[in-house]
Each structure stands twice: as structure tokens, then as C-alpha cells.
Amino acid sequence: MTPLGDILARRIAATGPISIADYMAECLLHPEHGYYATRDPLGAQGDFITAPEISQMFGEMLGLALAQAWMDQGAPHPFTLAELGPGRGTLMADILRATKAVPGFHAAADLHLVERSSVLKAAQARTLAPHAITHHDTTATLPDAPLFVVANEFFDALPIRQFQRDGEGWRERQVGLDGDLLTLGLTAPLPVQDLAFRLDDTRDGDVVERCPAAAAILADLSSRIEPRGGAALIIDYGDWRSVGDTLQAVAQHDHVDPLAVPGQADLTAHVDFEALTHASAPLTPHLLAPQGVFLERLGITQRAQTLAQNLSGDTLDAHIKAHRRLTHPDEMGTLFKVLGLTRAKAPDLPGLTRNRPHADAS
């Protein structure tokens, strides 16, 4: 048992089982033993690698898409350029480099990062120097201005609750104790009004996941974009509707039991894009597209070919593999989805179209 595991076991022994959401929040954000509070998890020496760490092309495509959306909406000045969960700052650095030549974009942009990890805040400051950045623990303190925001692999790390169908009702899955070991169990039947519609597409024993924190964040972003303008680009793994147990833990690039090493493994769950879309009302969703399709529409292959002209040997091989990893259906191309959000009257976002929220590879 890890130090955080001992703390959680004593808490459960004293007060009873805790929700999976509470367990995830403690594992990821405990001030002394939480996963993000104690390490930089990214890269070959960490536990996982995200798209910006794979290739600069990912951030370049997103940056140009945001800049085009900014121009399409009249190039507001000033505006907030924000990222949720910015890791080491690599994605934002690529966005800023790709948009450097866009007239007026940098002069109008006010850079804000939503990040709770002090370790990663320090890394972001180093990566983005000498750009002036403002850090926020939550979206609630973002400025009141047009907001263009990107969130890559942010929502998958937010705490989820899991409900298991029991007849015409639900039981919540919780973390309890079996002797000295953490284990999963079920509550007594619960009335869960916002899951009534899921009785039509589930059977006894099926698990449905809900993410209250994601809904609150989308509602907050909507309250800023709707009156002032802007756009949100959300890239994550998941699908239109949650079904099944998707909670997973990763340590040193390998999957482990989510209950095995509390505080020492990354915990994530698939994103329910249907729930995100509903929570973002009255914003208009733009086509939930597979990441590979989205990047191809933005011109990533042409960019890859341009970069390849100056490469050779192992460097060229790594470049080709990075392009494949980002776009191929057997890699990140299909598992990861892209959702865009704007005001109803805003132009379509680059690479996306509106009014067809379901994932579509065509």
C-alpha cells in the first residue's frame, strides 16, 4: 500500500466507502501524495505521452485553426487565449510559434493556463518564457473577454462517478475495504433522475459514468463564450455516449490496477462527449470528428511532407512514425475525438462542421 493508500484506508475504515470521484480526486490532487502534485508525468521518463509531445505538427494545426476562428469572428482585441491542463506547455508553445505570423493575433492574445499542479506550472513557465502567462486553478477566474480555448487530454482526468444498472434503477460503485485492501463495491439502490434516459440503452449490470466536474466546467466556458464570442476545441479519447467501465490507471507507460498504487499512477476515464455537448448549451456543437480526420482536414499531411524535406535517416523515420501515430485509425486517429463549440451564429470552425454531433469519419 502506498502512503496515500494508507490514508484512504484509514478514512474508509472510519467513515465508510467513498465514491470513485472522491478516490480519483485524492489520487490525482492530494496536496502531499497526489499524482499531479508530486511529479511531471509526461514523456519517456514519465508515465504517458500526449499528442503535443509526439510532434510539433499537432500544436501547429490547432494553433492555426484557433487563429482562423479568431479572424472569422472579427479578430477581437483583446481576447483570452487559454488552455486547460497544459502539461509542460508544449502545446501552447507550438500554438504560439505557428501563429506568430498571423497579423494582430499575438498582440491581441492574453495568455491564460488552467493548471493545479505546482510542478507543471513551473514547467509551463519555463517552456513559455518570455511570454507573459497567468495561471488559474479553475476556469472560474478566467477574464471576461472573448475566449478561445483548447483542452487536450484534460477532461479524461476529471473525477467520474460510476453507476451500475439494477433493474429500473442504479447502484453507485464505491471504493471500500476488504481487510486492509482497497476494493470496489456497490451502494444500495439510488434514485438517479438524470440517468432515467439511459434505461433505454442499457441492461442490468451495465455501467454508466458521469463527470460532474466536466459539466460544471463546460457550463462556465459557455457562460463566457456565449455573450462575448470565442471558441472551444476539446480533444480527448472517448465517444458520444458513455457505456461500460472505462476507469484506467497507467504507470511507466503500462496499465495497472486503478486501486493498486493510489497516488502513484495516472487515473483517467473515457470522455462522454454527449454529456459535454449538453452541458455546453446554448453553445453550438461542431462535428465530433476523429482526431485523424480533423488533422487531415487542417493539412497535417502537407505540413508533414514539408518538414520531411529537411530530414533523413532516423530523424525522418521518427517523423513519419509521429505523423502515423497522430492520424492513423489504428493509433490515435480514431480513439481520440475533437469537439468544437461556438456561439450559434459563429462561422464553422476549421476542420469541423456544425449540427452533426455524432462521430463521423467521412
Side-chain angles (χ1 to χ4, degrees), residues 37-323:
T38 57
R39 73 199 69 208
D40 177 349
L42 296 159
Q45 302 304 313
D47 294 314
F48 57 88
I49 296 176
T50 61
E53 307 289 334
I54 293 171
S55 171
Q56 69 185 63
M57 296 183 293
F58 182 80
E60 290 172 348
M61 295 298 102
L62 266 61
L64 293 174
L66 287 172
Q68 184 63 57
W70 172 75
M71 290 187 289
D72 290 343
Q73 294 189 32
H77 188 303
F79 75 95
T80 298
L81 178 60
E83 183 179 355
L84 312 185
R88 293 173 175 165
T90 304
L91 174 57
M92 185 56 72
D94 291 337
I95 288 173
L96 292 171
R97 186 185 64 257
T99 57
K100 188 175 182 180
V102 177
F105 187 79
H106 281 206
D110 188 12
L111 185 56
H112 294 260
L113 305 178
V114 177
E115 178 63 67
R116 294 184 62 177
S117 166
S118 58
V119 174
L120 291 177
K121 284 180 180 178
Q124 292 152 17
R126 292 191 297 269
T127 300
L128 294 170
H131 294 283
I133 59 175
T134 302
H135 276 111
H136 304 261
D137 287 340
T138 73
T139 59
T141 55
L142 289 172
D144 292 331
L147 173 62
F148 292 80
V149 57
V150 61
N152 178 61
E153 291 199 57
F154 170 78
F155 286 96
D156 67 293
L158 296 180
I160 60 161
R161 297 175 69 184
Q162 289 186 335
F163 297 91
Q164 183 170 310
R165 182 165 172 181
D166 180 23
E168 295 301 300
W170 305 88
R171 297 175 185 262
E172 185 166 7
R173 301 182 86 195
Q174 292 185 310
V175 178
L177 284 176
D178 182 6
D180 295 330
L181 299 177
L182 297 175
T183 188
L184 289 174
L186 293 169
T187 67
L190 297 170
V192 187
Q193 295 300 321
D194 64 347
L195 286 179
F197 75 104
R198 297 305 306 272
L199 295 176
D200 294 334
D201 70 323
T202 56
R203 297 177 296 178
D204 270 5
D206 283 351
V207 172
V208 171
E209 296 173 342
R210 307 297 279 173
C211 185
I217 290 169
L218 260 297
D220 184 60
L221 296 180
S222 175
S223 72
R224 297 169 187 282
I225 294 173
E226 176 61 25
R228 301 175 187 91
L233 280 178
I234 299 169
I235 307 97
D236 229 311
Y237 64 95
D239 217 323
W240 178 246
R241 178 173 287 188
S242 163
V243 61
D245 175 7
T246 73
L247 179 66
Q248 65 179 16
V250 174
Q252 297 181 334
H253 301 273
D254 199 7
H255 290 279
V256 299
D257 184 336
L259 302 182
V261 285
Q264 296 181 9
D266 183 40
L267 294 178
T268 61
H270 285 203
V271 172
D272 183 339
F273 284 95
E274 179 185 39
L276 293 190
T277 300
H278 290 323
S280 70
L283 296 184
T284 295
H286 297 245
L287 175 65
L288 178 61
Q291 175 178 292
V293 172
F294 175 71
L295 293 175
E296 291 292 358
R297 288 172 178 162
L298 295 179
I300 192 172
T301 293
Q302 292 87 340
R303 176 58 173 157
Q305 291 169 344
T306 299
L307 291 173
Q309 293 175 2
N310 298 317
L311 303 176
S312 62
D314 291 344
T315 305
L316 177 59
D317 289 341
H319 174 64
I320 293 171
K321 289 178 180 177
H323 174 264

Side-chain angles (χ1 to χ4, degrees), residues 5 7-18 23 175-177 182-183:
I7 293 172
L8 293 174
R10 290 196 298 270
R11 172 182 167 185
I12 292 168
T15 62
I18 60 175
Y23 175 75
V175 178
L177 284 176
L182 297 175
T183 188

Side-chain angles (χ1 to χ4, degrees), residues 334-346:
T334 297
L335 176 62
F336 282 76
K337 308 296 192 303
V338 182
L339 174 67
L341 299 166
T342 65
R343 293 193 290 191
K345 295 183 180 180

